[in-house]
Amino acid sequence: ARDLGRGLLARVGLSDKEGSYPDQLSGGQQQRVAIARALANQPQLILADEPTGKLDTNTAREIFTLFREIVGQEGATILMAAHDPLVDEYVDGVLLLSDGQIVERENPPR
């Protein structure tokens, strides 16, 4: 289990934070730990609810880039609820919802 944890921390760029407590990590680092936890069971589907909601633009870009890498390398699908306008630069498709109904489908250029 320890080797798995170390590998996951390395995967999200936090090898140097092993043994750190949450209050010793930035918001972006805490999000990366959450992503590492989500990857622990090698899921085919990852659900991400506002994964960059409290992060600055640069950190949000790092998280979205990490998600793209996960999709490409792990073969996972990520279903994300997001209001961040940066998301269009990183996703394969966007569904716009209103009152629980799909009102528009987009395939943003990347």
Side-chain angles (χ1 to χ4, degrees):
R2 186 175 281 281
D3 288 340
L4 173 63
R6 285 183 177 137
L8 290 168
L9 284 176
R11 178 74 183 88
V12 298
L14 292 176
S15 294
D16 61 330
K17 298 299 181 183
E18 181 181 347
S20 297
Y21 290 96
D23 66 345
Q24 297 171 318
L25 302 174
S26 70
Q29 290 168 333
Q30 290 178 22
Q31 286 295 78
R32 288 174 182 272
V33 170
I35 293 166
R37 285 193 318 261
L39 293 174
N41 292 319
Q42 300 176 319
Q44 293 180 337
L45 175 65
I46 297 171
L47 304 176
D49 184 14
E50 295 289 347
T52 60
K54 296 180 182 179
L55 304 179
D56 62 77
T57 301
N58 289 333
T59 306
R61 286 186 184 280
E62 290 174 7
I63 296 299
F64 289 139
T65 298
L66 178 58
F67 279 163
R68 284 291 335 155
E69 290 172 5
I70 291 166
V71 168
Q73 295 171 4
E74 310 288 331
T77 297
I78 299 175
L79 179 62
M80 183 180 350
H83 291 91
D84 191 328
L86 292 175
V87 75
D88 284 355
E89 298 174 32
Y90 297 89
V91 299
D92 294 323
V94 175
L95 298 176
L96 300 175
L97 303 174
S98 178
D99 298 322
Q101 301 293 316
I102 297 172
V103 294
E104 188 175 340
R105 295 172 192 259
E106 299 176 4
N107 291 317
R110 282 191 302 119

